[in-house]
Amino acid sequence: ASHVVSKSHHVAEAPGWRLELFHKNQGDLQEKWIPFLAAHGVERVNLTMKGKEDNVARDVALLRHHLPHLHICPHFALKSHHKGRQLEHASNQFVEFCRRIYESSVREVLVVSGSTGTGAVPAVKKHDSVQALQKLAAVRHEMPGLGVHCAFNPYFIKPDDRAQERRRFMSKLQAGEGVLQGVYLQAGSDLCLLEDGLQFIRSVTKPSFQIHGSIFRPSKQFLAQMKFRPWNGV
């Protein structure tokens, strides 16, 4: 099912809403979601990565074949690609992933770290999007026009956690200079923390920097999950 609708905004132009797809496998994508997208005229989608065996680049190629004008933003989760190896391996996999989707005429990707340990903001990030952004920025001449997006959570309750999240965002901006074009905000319901986070992002980025907000399309399963183990700010 699809649980999140993302709303994009930047000062120059509002690209519009996007549908985030949570498909089970490639068969589900072809038999259920491609007809749905075509029938309802959906123009923009995000493809999530659900596990180590997912082949998002393959799904991108399938969507591009059936819906050539669809605007696709695939997700890349570094934690799904470390396979017990060093961070260097996951970062290299990210660059190769970008090359593959670029060949399918995709010009946007969302990269997220994944973390180890417990707590709101783990002290050690084994699968760090900062290094992945550095790797991609070093070869950006190979993929002109590719725009990368990172994640940001404005909903941490503790001030120290919010400060750490902001420091990481600044590190991502520096590491991804030339390729980082936008940010996806985690969905949440604390409007004060959201506005505070938006003011921070706007204060450190250019007017053209894209900010994507998320809105849940509730389902019984997802509401139960949020009740049992809610995200920060939800």
Side-chain angles (χ1 to χ4, degrees):
S2 174
H3 298 300
V4 180
V5 173
S6 170
K7 181 68 177 178
S8 308
H9 173 76
H10 60 81
V11 174
E13 179 184 358
W17 66 273
R18 321 177 57 88
L19 189 66
E20 186 170 292
L21 298 183
F22 291 78
H23 57 289
K24 297 177 181 178
N25 48 48
Q26 195 171 37
D28 187 45
L29 183 63
Q30 183 160 8
E31 296 170 13
K32 176 181 178 182
W33 285 109
I34 287 176
F36 174 88
L37 297 173
H40 293 276
V42 178
E43 299 178 350
R44 304 173 184 87
V45 299
N46 281 42
L47 277 180
T48 58
M49 177 175 288
K50 302 174 292 300
K52 295 181 181 180
E53 302 304 320
D54 284 0
N55 192 330
V56 180
R58 176 200 61 192
D59 294 341
V60 165
L62 180 65
L63 283 170
R64 180 64 69 221
H65 175 74
H66 289 279
L67 302 168
H69 302 297
L70 188 68
H71 188 284
I72 307 169
C73 179
H75 297 189
F76 188 93
L78 290 160
K79 69 177 182 180
S80 297
H81 285 267
H82 67 98
K83 296 183 179 179
R85 306 181 188 182
Q86 298 297 318
L87 172 61
E88 185 84 10
H89 174 75
S91 297
N92 289 337
Q93 288 292 100
F94 172 61
V95 173
E96 289 305 313
F97 175 81
C98 289
R99 289 190 176 111
R100 289 183 63 189
I101 64 170
Y102 194 84
E103 292 175 357
S104 295
S105 301
V106 170
R107 296 296 181 264
E108 250 183 77
V109 60
L110 169 63
V111 59
V112 296
S113 294
S115 60
T116 59
T118 58
V121 183
V124 178
K125 291 269 186 178
K126 287 184 67 175
H127 323 300
D128 199 327
S129 58
V130 174
Q131 182 168 332
L133 287 167
Q134 288 175 332
K135 284 275 186 181
L136 186 64
V139 296
R140 63 181 180 273
H141 61 279
E142 299 179 14
M143 294 166 274
L146 179 67
V148 183
H149 301 260
C150 65
F152 180 80
N153 184 355
Y155 297 109
F156 289 118
I157 303 300
K158 297 180 180 178
D160 288 348
D161 291 338
R162 292 200 299 273
Q164 184 173 343
E165 182 75 351
R166 293 182 181 195
R167 286 193 296 269
R168 282 186 52 75
F169 181 73
M170 294 300 296
S171 296
K172 293 174 186 178
L173 286 177
Q174 183 178 4
E177 186 174 1
V179 295
L180 190 62
Q181 296 183 358
V183 62
Y184 276 77
L185 306 178
Q186 178 176 296
S189 54
D190 190 319
L191 296 182
C192 291
L193 290 177
L194 172 61
E195 183 57 38
D196 191 48
L198 287 172
Q199 289 179 5
F200 162 71
I201 292 171
R202 290 169 180 150
S203 71
V204 297
T205 59
K206 298 178 181 179
S208 59
F209 193 78
Q210 296 182 18
I211 303 173
H212 303 263
S214 299
I215 302 172
F216 285 119
R217 186 181 68 82
S219 68
K220 289 183 179 180
Q221 180 182 358
F222 212 73
L223 289 173
Q225 178 184 334
M226 288 297 103
K227 186 178 295 186
F228 175 69
R229 186 177 295 173
W231 295 353
N232 283 290
V234 179

